[in-house]
Amino acid sequence: MAFTELNSVEYYVIHQLAGVNLNRSEAAEPPAGYSGHWKYLPAKELERSVNEVLVESRLREALIRLNPEIAQDPSRADEVIYKLRAVLIAVNQVGLVKANEEFFKWLSGDKTMPFGKNNSHVPVRLIDFEDISNNEYLITNQYQVHHRETKRPDLVCLINGIPVVVGEAKTPIRPSVSWLDGANEIRNIYENAIPQLFVPNILSFSTEGKELFFGAIRSPLEFWAPWRLESDDNGLSRKLGLAEIGQELSDLLHPKRLLDILRHFSLFTTNKKKQRIKVIPRYQQYEGANLIVDRVKAGLIKKGLIWHFQGSGKSLLMVFAAQKLRRAPELKSPTVIVLVDRTDLDTQISDTFNAADVPNVETTDSIRELQTLLERDTRKIIISTIYKFRDARPDMNTRDNIIVLVDEAHRTQEGNLGRQMRAALPNAFLFGLTGTPVNKADKNTFWAFGAEQDEGGYMSRYTFHDSIRDNATLPLHFEPRLVDVHVDKETIDKAMEEFKESVALSDEEADALSKKSAKMAAFLKAPERVAKIVEDIANHFKAKVEPHGFKAMIVTPDRHACVQYKEALDQYFPKEASKVVISTSANDPLEFKQKWGVERSQQDKIVEEFNDQQSELKFIIVTAKLLTGFDAPILQTMYLDKSLKDHTLLQAVCRTNRLYPNKHFGRIVDYFGVFDDAAKALQFDEESIKQVITNLSELREQLPEAMRAALSHFEGVDRTLEGFEGLEAAQDAIKTDEQKDAFAKDYKFLSKLWESLSPDTMLNVYNQDYKWLSQVFESVKPAADNIGKLLWFSLGAQTSKLIHENIHVGQVHQLDEYILDADLIEDIFNNPDKKEAKKLEKILISRFKKNAGHPKFKKLSERLEALRDKAEQGLISSIEFIKELCKIAKETVQAEKEMAEALQEKTPKAALTELFLELKTDQTPAVVERIVNDIDQIVRIVRFPGWQSTSAGEREVQKSLRKALLKYKLHKDQALFERAYGYIKEYY
């Protein structure tokens, strides 16, 4: 039996979840260990029509079983079902996310009906969350649904007759097909064609048997995520394959896990474009939040340190944890305090909570307000900064159900403020979260948050490698730029040490450093040096950043340097293209304050404008602001001309690693020399820290081998041969699907390298070969409307541009050079030659395409197709093939002759006259002949051979036609214009 997506992946998922092997004819009992959680039923055995997404008979039973009030009067179940149907139907008006949000209120048990005594409202349970064995769990396949059209998803999981999970299984044996194809099918086809099926959806998943990814409704494909096992210690070197996928799926779709995600880890929030979106957790957020909740519930260990790499979603982890802690009945309405140590982060965290509509959130604006909230024993989620614990009195609140979540735990939380906070809340649970690894020598942080029971000091770790492997963040590419003048880093480092700063310098501190090291500051801001760097930035941005649709940040030594860079940049870009974001101090001159000072509200507007892809703002220029707590996925490149160290350095460069469509990496262009020695710049014990930055020199080393690998598929092919012969020879070298897939895989790797390095001059040597490979790739990739094989289309902007500029499909035009006439056919008939027959075959195909829709040519095309099939199956000899081919060619010539004669009978002018008479009304001028003559004269002057296939030709003819019609006041009649233009296009 062959391996197909049905018998290998789809059936495997069913076997893994329900214990039924559909590859065997005999019925199979679920093996021990499944506990009857998921039961398999074929779709045809579910009592429903294709127009219904709910299995209403099973839902009705569940409503009666789980709700005593409905059990007393079973007709009430129908009332609930009518309400649910209304939510399903409303998806067409309100959109999928809002309909899903409304259905979630029903699923979560938040909706009530007047079924109690005296028509009082009581909650309605669709699902039992307390005793999950009370629910019915079904998995089925090929679940046909009709809405706007009929679709048949591979796998659907139903709880109590409600479809809550949709899955797609793809073939495991073709490299060009991946989980991405299934995810694309779910998001871009099923969710649009049959949205009602997704109204109750918890999550969807896709797998090709090698990798498993899952996502929420309407989630862009780049935000779909893998699911890892909690105990997956071997994650970095994990093996791909069915066994691994089976374990991950069983874990993700375990009813207990699925219902936990439904109840505690599903957020409906508003993005920066004011659109409603649904968010479900990545596995590290789910694991981290549950570790916090479990530790608080156990009550034995009062602290924990969580290291999740920058950009991997710590803000959401805190939202999930806070939400679940507040809902845990055994914690008796706890107080959750989220502590940050910077004003900008304070706002970012508040925005995350507020946008997600998390209930009972308080943001404190003053020390007194925070202290009042705690003294009054407020039971809410309180967001505050560590600074607001200044002067806090000891034992302010001694309850043991206070949980403190400290963001960026390596900072001032370890100093006096941290101790004051601990004294004020002596029995609180303390959890530190950080995006940068904590230096093992930094005993304070481990003392403050690390529990002895946690191996290595961390309760949960999610490293750089984990983050990049799971596509949670992007790799960072580092590009050192040599400035001719020498930067004395030692002097700067020495000055930095005097400040003993482990955080980003504030604007004022940067100024103070400049005074302490006046000579160095003067050197860094020397006009010649700044001018040279800004010129390089302008060239680099135009070549490598702007073509991809991304934006950039410039980090300068101090506030005055920001202004200097801005003024220099204005010589290369419009003034609107860049903005300075700095604060001003009391000592600054009034003019400087008025011109350059940025208030909080202004800063928010600038960030919003920067995030808007359509805005003119391309650069933000900073020295200290926005280096942390700034989330702009469109930011891809940071131009760095400042000494940054340790946590601050890593946090700053990680502004560029956020996910964004068609973004493959974040880039740091280093003018200062920060990365000359990465290990020294980032002084941590973690060996892996050294690999977080990819030096472009490594990519340069990889390119020759990648080029050799891509070219190796075409051994013996003459790459200098142009036209269709050259292309045909290349295609013959990769005839089979396996060969095409192998080539696509190598080409894709090469194209990613090319994107990263472009426009590096080293590419010049390989340009011809890359152009040739790109043309071959374009010629063999699947058609754009073929949903599968998405991996074939993931090309960068530079490569796409190269393809668009250099593929002029010359081979198609060259086919027309062969004149199909009696002499050519006779010559091929009398001198049978496979090569000539191949040319004739191509000419015929081209002719049939040209005359598509004409019944005579359609029949001839079908005869040619049947003849080719016979030849491929070896049913006729090559001589017979050529003779029969010539016969079809003769008939084609004759058909073309007859068609030409028929066309000649209707001259262009006669056709136009016929058109005007046909469209004539009482208002049409009587001088039809004059109108036709005018159009004929004007069009004949501006047209040229082949004008129909060029946009310039079409534009000129359309302009001339409008001019002719204007003379007779007929230019506003769009129907007449379109019909007349159609006739001209056909007959002129």
Side-chain angles (χ1 to χ4, degrees):
M1 185 189 283
F3 299 115
T4 66
E5 61 187 43
L6 182 70
N7 70 28
S8 52
V9 181
E10 188 176 312
Y11 284 4
Y12 178 78
V13 171
I14 291 167
H15 180 255
Q16 193 68 20
L17 295 180
V20 175
N21 188 347
L22 296 180
N23 284 324
R24 295 182 189 158
S25 52
E26 73 272 8
E29 286 298 315
Y34 288 99
S35 310
H37 284 313
W38 291 104
K39 179 184 173 187
Y40 171 73
L41 263 187
K44 62 187 176 191
E45 291 183 24
L46 294 168
E47 311 99 35
R48 57 175 281 276
S49 75
V50 292
N51 296 310
E52 297 171 331
V53 299
L54 303 172
V55 182
E56 292 186 359
S57 58
R58 293 174 183 273
L59 176 54
R60 188 176 287 105
E61 286 172 15
L63 285 166
I64 294 166
R65 185 171 69 251
L66 302 178
N67 297 276
E69 295 85 1
I70 296 176
Q72 287 170 14
D73 181 358
S75 67
R76 288 170 171 170
D78 293 318
E79 288 184 51
V80 175
I81 290 171
Y82 298 151
K83 294 274 189 188
L84 297 177
R85 279 190 204 155
V87 180
L88 295 173
I89 293 165
V91 70
N92 297 319
Q93 283 75 48
V94 302
L96 184 49
V97 176
K98 284 191 177 170
N100 185 261
E101 186 172 4
E102 181 62 20
F103 207 101
F104 253 58
K105 291 172 186 171
W106 285 97
L107 287 174
S108 306
D110 293 338
K111 286 293 203 177
T112 61
M113 292 286 280
F115 297 156
K117 283 182 184 176
N118 301 320
N119 294 329
S120 62
H121 275 257
V122 292
V124 174
R125 292 201 301 172
L126 306 187
I127 293 172
D128 191 336
F129 290 99
E130 308 312 317
D131 182 357
I132 65 170
S133 63
N134 279 338
N135 304 309
E136 180 191 48
Y137 306 96
L138 295 180
I139 181 168
T140 188
N141 60 332
Q142 304 301 311
Y143 194 78
Q144 190 171 320
V145 177
H146 178 79
H147 181 56
R148 295 190 183 109
E149 47 192 295
T150 303
K151 293 295 175 192
R152 198 192 304 259
D154 290 343
L155 295 152
V156 173
C157 297
L158 303 102
I159 300 179
N160 296 337
I162 304 166
V164 292
V165 174
V166 176
E168 273 297 296
K170 288 294 166 191
T171 175
I173 56 173
R174 288 204 64 191
S176 68
V177 175
S178 81
W179 67 267
L180 197 60
D181 298 291
N184 179 69
E185 212 159 330
I186 289 171
R187 188 196 186 275
N188 294 324
I189 297 179
Y190 295 161
E191 286 184 12
N192 293 324
I194 48 171
Q196 290 187 354
L197 177 63
F198 294 87
V199 171
N201 184 272
I202 297 173
L203 60 86
S204 298
F205 72 88
S206 174
T207 179
E208 80 290 58
K210 289 178 275 192
E211 288 190 289
L212 164 75
F213 277 70
F214 71 101
I217 51 153
R218 306 314 301 142
S219 179
L221 299 185
E222 60 266 27
F223 292 109
W224 280 50
W227 186 261
R228 309 287 187 207
L229 302 180
E230 289 183 38
S231 58
D232 187 7
D233 297 327
N234 198 27
L236 286 176
S237 57
R238 57 190 294 275
K239 294 169 185 171
L240 298 172
L242 287 172
E244 187 76 26
I245 295 306
Q247 288 176 37
E248 289 171 355
L249 253 180
S250 300
D251 192 66
L252 173 63
L253 298 186
H254 188 288
K256 186 180 175 186
R257 176 94 64 232
L258 203 56
L259 294 181
D260 194 23
I261 291 172
L262 161 63
R263 203 175 189 192
H264 302 297
F265 291 87
S266 296
L267 293 176
F268 293 90
T269 182
T270 306
N271 66 14
K272 286 178 177 135
K273 293 179 182 173
K274 308 290 186 270
Q275 299 161 321
R276 203 70 178 151
I277 58 170
K278 182 180 178 182
V279 177
I280 56 177
R282 287 176 172 267
Y283 83 95
Q284 77 274 9
Q285 293 165 333
Y286 181 85
E287 182 191 61
N290 272 333
L291 283 170
I292 290 170
V293 174
D294 292 345
R295 186 160 285 189
V296 173
K297 282 182 180 178
L300 301 172
I301 305 168
K302 304 282 282 191
K303 58 184 181 176
L305 183 60
I306 292 177
W307 166 31
H308 285 193
F309 183 48
Q310 291 291 338
S312 54
K314 289 194 309 305
S315 295
L316 281 172
L317 189 160
M318 287 194 275
V319 174
F320 291 135
Q323 194 168 252
K324 193 166 181 179
L325 286 164
R326 289 277 304 146
R327 287 175 182 165
E330 59 268 56
L331 297 182
K332 298 172 185 171
S333 190
T335 301
V336 180
I337 302 174
V338 179
L339 277 189
V340 292
D341 76 337
R342 280 176 172 261
T343 312
D344 51 352
L345 288 176
D346 184 11
T347 306
Q348 185 194 350
I349 296 289
S350 303
D351 289 348
T352 306
F353 273 86
N354 292 334
D357 295 337
V358 177
N360 297 312
V361 175
E362 290 271 0
T363 303
T364 58
D365 294 323
S366 68
I367 298 168
R368 185 170 294 171
E369 194 180 342
L370 171 64
Q371 293 179 0
T372 303
L373 285 171
L374 291 172
E375 285 168 351
R376 287 181 181 169
D377 204 20
T378 305
R379 308 290 181 107
K380 291 185 177 182
I381 297 169
I382 301 171
I383 299 171
S384 184
T385 61
I386 190 73
Y387 300 108
K388 287 166 192 166
F389 273 96
R390 208 176 310 148
D391 306 324
R393 64 175 179 76
D395 297 335
M396 189 184 293
N397 194 312
T398 57
R399 260 193 301 118
D400 61 2
N401 65 341
I402 295 176
I403 303 102
V404 184
L405 306 177
V406 183
D407 189 39
E408 294 307 341
H410 55 264
R411 291 183 179 160
T412 42
Q413 286 85 347
E414 297 132 40
N416 291 332
L417 290 171
R419 280 189 280 278
Q420 280 177 290
M421 181 260 292
R422 286 167 176 78
L425 309 170
N427 298 317
F429 287 85
L430 299 172
F431 295 98
L433 294 94
T434 178
T436 51
V438 178
N439 187 348
K440 291 287 166 62
D442 183 0
K443 297 288 188 283
N444 280 349
T445 302
F446 280 97
W447 166 81
F449 299 103
E452 290 173 14
Q453 295 88 334
D454 293 327
E455 191 181 339
Y458 293 105
M459 182 168 84
S460 173
R461 283 182 65 185
Y462 188 67
T463 65
F464 314 115
H465 298 297
D466 296 332
S467 172
I468 290 164
R469 173 199 64 188
D470 293 342
N471 299 327
T473 60
L474 298 169
L476 292 168
H477 288 181
F478 152 61
E479 207 172 304
R481 310 292 273 189
L482 290 173
V483 183
D484 286 341
V485 286
H486 172 65
V487 177
D488 186 354
K489 286 191 299 167
E490 292 301 320
T491 305
I492 289 180
D493 287 345
K494 194 175 174 188
M496 293 288 287
E497 283 301 316
E498 289 174 21
F499 276 75
K500 297 192 181 301
E501 284 292 332
S502 63
V503 296
L505 293 175
S506 70
D507 294 334
E508 290 78 10
E509 287 167 338
D511 285 347
L513 173 60
S514 296
K515 286 168 190 166
K516 267 186 172 283
S517 186
K519 286 180 184 175
M520 180 54 67
F523 164 71
L524 288 175
K525 294 188 288 185
E528 297 87 349
R529 180 178 181 275
V530 171
K532 189 163 189 167
I533 289 174
V534 170
E535 182 186 6
D536 189 63
I537 288 173
N539 294 334
H540 184 280
F541 183 83
K542 287 172 183 174
K544 297 181 83 167
V545 185
E546 195 170 34
H548 300 259
F550 302 130
K551 299 191 178 185
M553 176 184 269
I554 301 174
V555 184
T556 78
D558 62 34
R559 295 177 307 148
H560 296 285
C562 288
V563 174
Q564 214 178 338
Y565 269 78
K566 161 72 178 156
E567 289 170 346
L569 204 63
D570 286 349
Q571 295 174 33
Y572 299 92
F573 297 93
K575 286 192 174 180
E576 301 76 28
S578 61
K579 288 195 177 167
V580 169
V581 180
I582 56 173
S583 57
T584 55
S585 69
N587 299 325
D588 285 323
L590 181 62
E591 189 186 347
F592 184 84
K593 282 184 190 175
Q594 289 175 336
K595 189 170 183 181
W596 301 111
V598 175
E599 299 298 324
R600 180 78 223 185
S601 58
Q602 286 176 281
Q603 182 178 310
D604 291 343
K605 281 180 186 168
I606 291 171
V607 170
E608 194 176 323
E609 185 187 351
F610 187 72
N611 272 311
D612 178 4
Q613 194 173 19
Q614 306 306 318
S615 77
E616 295 176 63
L617 182 59
K618 309 291 182 192
F619 296 89
I620 287 185
I621 305 170
V622 303
T623 184
K625 278 183 175 289
L626 303 184
L627 290 185
T628 56
F630 171 57
D631 192 19
I634 199 168
L635 169 62
Q636 188 237 19
T637 297
M638 175 179 284
Y639 298 102
L640 185 57
D641 190 25
K642 176 177 180 171
S643 177
L644 297 175
K645 296 187 75 176
D646 299 346
H647 305 288
T648 312
L649 172 58
L650 193 56
Q651 283 186 303
V653 298
C654 286
R655 299 305 100 207
T656 67
N657 74 346
R658 303 305 197 260
L659 300 178
Y660 193 77
N662 298 318
K663 182 172 161 187
H664 302 301
F665 55 87
R667 182 195 284 117
I668 296 88
V669 180
D670 175 27
Y671 294 100
F672 193 87
V674 167
F675 289 102
D676 279 0
D677 182 351
K680 186 180 171 190
L682 303 168
Q683 292 168 349
F684 299 107
D685 296 342
E686 297 295 333
E687 192 62 28
S688 61
I689 190 83
K690 297 172 188 173
Q691 297 164 33
V692 70
I693 308 297
T694 305
N695 196 314
L696 287 193
S697 61
E698 291 172 27
L699 301 184
R700 290 191 189 97
E701 287 167 15
Q702 291 173 27
L703 187 76
E705 183 50 45
M707 183 64 75
R708 273 194 295 276
L711 289 172
S712 69
H713 299 276
F714 305 97
E715 295 288 346
V717 174
D718 182 359
R719 298 204 296 279
T720 62
L721 193 58
E722 295 183 350
F724 68 86
E725 290 101 337
L727 190 59
E728 191 172 48
Q731 289 177 348
D732 282 346
I734 49 171
K735 271 182 186 169
T736 67
D737 282 344
E738 287 75 17
Q739 288 170 323
K740 283 190 179 80
D741 282 342
F743 165 58
K745 190 179 173 189
D746 288 339
Y747 177 82
K748 189 185 162 207
F749 177 69
L750 173 65
S751 74
K752 278 202 168 184
L753 280 179
W754 195 272
E755 290 298 308
S756 300
L757 292 167
S758 179
D760 196 307
T761 50
M762 75 157 296
L763 300 178
N764 297 347
V765 182
Y766 302 99
N767 203 49
Q768 282 303 110
D769 285 337
Y770 187 64
K771 192 188 293 183
W772 186 86
L773 286 166
S774 298
Q775 291 173 330
V776 174
F777 177 86
E778 186 77 5
S779 77
V780 296
K781 78 177 188 183
D785 59 356
N786 186 336
I787 295 307
K789 303 151 196 82
L790 271 182
L791 293 181
W792 283 70
F793 295 96
S794 52
L795 297 179
Q798 296 286 356
T799 301
S800 301
K801 186 179 167 193
L802 182 147
I803 289 171
H804 295 154
E805 284 175 354
N806 294 290
I807 297 186
H808 299 302
V809 206
Q811 61 275 16
V812 175
H813 298 304
Q814 286 182 24
L815 294 180
D816 293 337
E817 291 171 13
Y818 292 92
I819 299 160
L820 183 59
D821 58 15
D823 292 340
L824 177 68
I825 297 165
E826 210 60 41
D827 185 44
I828 295 172
F829 186 84
N830 295 325
N831 305 292
D833 180 330
K834 278 187 188 176
K835 206 171 180 186
E836 292 301 314
K838 197 92 170 162
K839 287 179 187 174
L840 180 56
E841 197 182 325
K842 285 178 183 289
I843 294 166
L844 286 174
I845 291 167
S846 167
R847 291 289 202 272
F848 296 152
K849 276 184 183 171
K850 218 179 263 183
N851 299 301
H854 195 289
K856 195 171 270 187
F857 288 98
K858 192 179 177 199
K859 278 186 184 173
L860 288 165
S861 177
E862 286 167 359
R863 273 176 58 193
L864 176 61
E865 203 55 47
L867 180 65
R868 290 168 76 188
D869 285 345
K870 275 187 182 177
E872 277 180 27
Q873 292 167 35
L875 300 175
I876 54 172
S877 67
S878 53
I879 300 296
E880 287 173 303
F881 173 75
I882 291 169
K883 286 183 177 178
E884 188 59 35
L885 186 68
C886 289
K887 195 175 171 187
I888 294 170
K890 275 183 182 174
E891 290 179 44
T892 304
V893 170
Q894 184 57 34
E896 285 182 335
K897 204 184 253 182
E898 290 167 10
M899 195 170 158
E901 286 166 6
L903 283 173
Q904 270 186 348
E905 287 170 20
K906 190 182 271 189
T907 64
K909 284 173 77 170
L912 274 175
T913 305
E914 186 182 302
L915 166 72
F916 274 89
L917 290 172
E918 183 190 327
L919 293 174
K920 188 177 176 187
T921 66
D922 296 339
Q923 284 76 41
T924 306
V927 283
V928 170
E929 192 178 337
R930 271 169 53 197
I931 298 173
V932 170
N933 279 333
D934 283 356
I935 291 173
D936 184 70
Q937 281 178 7
I938 292 174
V939 170
R940 284 185 191 280
I941 290 167
V942 300
R943 69 175 184 151
F944 54 87
W947 67 269
Q948 295 96 331
S949 58
T950 72
S951 54
E954 288 198 309
R955 204 163 44 243
E956 282 304 314
V957 171
Q958 285 173 352
K959 206 158 71 178
S960 302
L961 174 59
R962 289 238 186 247
K963 202 182 286 181
L965 292 174
L966 177 65
K967 188 174 174 183
Y968 301 95
K969 302 287 185 275
L970 295 171
H971 59 291
K972 289 184 179 174
D973 189 336
Q974 191 59 26
L976 173 62
F977 174 83
E978 285 171 7
R979 290 282 296 280
Y981 180 68
Y983 270 95
I984 290 167
K985 201 167 181 180
E986 187 172 350
Y987 294 111
Y988 282 75

